[in-house]
Amino acid sequence: MSPNPISLAIARALVATVALGCLIVPGALLIGLAVVVLASFKMARQWEQAVILRAGKFLAVRGPGLF
């Protein structure tokens, strides 16, 4: 008795999807992490001061520059 060609095609499609997902998911996670890190930087202008809060509590006041 030979295997059903439709079930073989479905199995091949699932294997291809999992193999492709193993390559795409880590790349997407790295890109997402890079976007979050780059969005977290703040550049204060010469006339600005920024209040830094961590978990809703006052941490510091920063002056001009990158922080």
Side-chain angles (χ1 to χ4, degrees), residues 5-39:
I6 294 175
S7 57
L8 281 176
I10 291 172
R12 286 181 185 159
L14 287 174
V15 168
T17 302
V18 169
L20 187 61
C22 290
L23 297 175
I24 291 176
V25 171
L29 289 175
L30 287 176
I31 290 171
L33 181 64
V35 167
V36 169
V37 167
L38 291 175

Side-chain angles (χ1 to χ4, degrees), residues 2 4-5 8 13 19 24 27 32 44 54-55 61:
S2 64
N4 186 350
L8 281 176
I24 291 176
R54 298 278 191 242
V61 175

